[in-house]
Amino acid sequence: MMGKRHEAIGIKQAIRFEWMQKAANLLLAGLDVKNIRHELHEFLSGRKGNGSEGERSEQTRTFVVNNLMKIWGSPDPDLIPFRDTSLGFLRENPSMALAVHWGMISAVYPFWFNVARQTGRLLALQDQVTQTQIINRLKEQYGDRQTVSRYARFVIRSFVAWGALRDSEAPGCYEKATPMSITEPNLTILMFEAALLATPEAKGTLGLLLNSPAFFPFQIPATTGDFVSQHSERIDVIRYGLDDELLTLKAG
């Protein structure tokens, strides 16, 4: 179940929220994979990474289209059930789109999840966080590769574009934006599943998942292991100790 995607970085350009919306909407409209890819190329041909209009090179456009296809259009086979559930939730709850897209991109590209986790950890300790601080922590995990620094910057800029971080007055320094409240319990379960898919071990305690720094842009309500086990076909809940519950992805 787990494999290369946990070691890969993959995100080679900033990914804007509205581009994620476009990809999901094309899927919701019933287009096939070939037509979704074509429509995304057309859509992005006149849009730059900062959201402004203007030509971008075919190579950078292809990077973004490939990312969007891997997230929504044609994810890895083991991620399709999660994609389908996320898409169904998005159809019924369009106001919760930010959290759905965050979960989806985290599952497909665990690098996004890990950049978010390091960002969230730092923001729990201080009011502002610098790009350098985030990247230094990522290098401890991925090694001191130049690609880590470069691609992490794309993810951090994506966080700003999504409204999860705000630019501060100092260049390369960011502040936390007002968190979005998750009010739908089933969305909480989807976010737990995203975290498990982004984790090589595919398991985590309920307490750690509820308070995951990777979900720093959101306020996740308290829930119980019983609720999760009753409402998820893909998560097992294992009780151990007096009040600890371990969530794991079901095999198969």
Side-chain angles (χ1 to χ4, degrees):
M1 183 188 296
M2 300 298 138
K4 291 181 179 177
R5 77 170 185 274
H6 295 93
E7 299 160 20
I9 294 178
I11 297 175
K12 298 180 179 179
Q13 290 292 317
I15 306 289
R16 295 188 66 83
F17 173 72
E18 59 266 29
W19 301 347
M20 293 280 285
Q21 281 281 74
K22 180 69 174 180
N25 285 338
L26 291 169
L27 200 58
L28 286 168
L31 273 69
D32 61 22
V33 168
K34 183 179 178 182
N35 280 311
I36 291 173
R37 184 178 289 277
H38 174 76
E39 289 290 329
L40 288 173
H41 269 287
E42 290 286 307
F43 176 72
L44 291 169
S45 62
R47 289 172 171 82
K48 292 186 176 181
N50 61 5
S52 64
E53 292 188 4
E55 287 297 314
R56 58 164 54 208
S57 75
E58 186 171 347
Q59 183 186 40
T60 58
R61 186 170 78 238
T62 299
F63 282 151
V64 175
V65 171
N66 287 344
N67 284 149
L68 295 171
M69 291 302 297
K70 197 164 179 62
I71 296 163
W72 281 114
S74 50
D76 292 346
D78 63 308
L79 296 176
I80 288 176
F82 175 69
R83 188 277 310 266
D84 291 347
T85 305
S86 297
L87 195 67
F89 184 89
L90 187 61
R91 179 189 287 114
E92 300 299 322
N93 303 272
S95 66
M96 296 277 107
L98 188 79
V100 176
H101 289 305
W102 193 276
M104 197 67 213
I105 198 170
S106 294
V108 174
Y109 290 109
F111 184 68
W112 175 288
F113 182 82
N114 287 323
V115 178
R117 184 169 58 181
Q118 300 299 354
T119 304
R121 281 178 176 167
L122 287 161
L123 286 169
L125 301 171
Q126 54 204 51
D127 294 333
Q128 295 186 337
V129 59
T130 68
Q131 184 173 274
T132 303
Q133 288 172 328
I134 298 168
I135 290 171
N136 284 343
R137 288 197 167 202
L138 287 165
K139 284 179 178 177
E140 294 172 11
Q141 180 177 356
Y142 289 92
D144 193 0
R145 290 181 278 166
Q146 192 177 6
T147 49
V148 173
S149 302
R150 185 162 72 248
Y151 296 162
R153 283 194 286 271
F154 291 137
V155 175
I156 294 165
R157 290 312 306 170
S158 301
F159 292 171
V160 175
W162 289 39
L165 287 179
R166 287 199 298 252
D167 286 310
S168 72
E169 292 180 6
C173 186
Y174 309 97
E175 301 169 352
K176 186 178 178 180
T178 304
M180 170 186 171
S181 292
I182 304 298
T183 56
E184 174 55 57
N186 286 325
L187 179 53
T188 299
I189 293 175
L190 274 179
M191 297 187 81
F192 287 172
E193 187 174 356
L196 296 174
L197 287 164
T199 305
E201 303 79 24
K203 61 186 177 183
T205 65
L206 179 61
L208 285 176
L209 291 168
L210 278 169
N211 298 293
S212 174
F215 296 137
F216 72 88
F218 310 100
Q219 286 183 329
I220 298 180
T223 190
T224 64
D226 281 341
F227 184 85
V228 174
S229 61
Q230 289 167 14
H231 291 82
S232 174
E233 298 175 350
R234 295 185 295 274
I235 298 176
D236 270 329
V237 180
I238 303 161
R239 287 170 184 79
Y240 65 98
L242 288 173
D243 55 2
D244 284 326
E245 293 172 303
L246 184 72
L247 275 59
T248 65
L249 288 178
K250 293 180 180 178

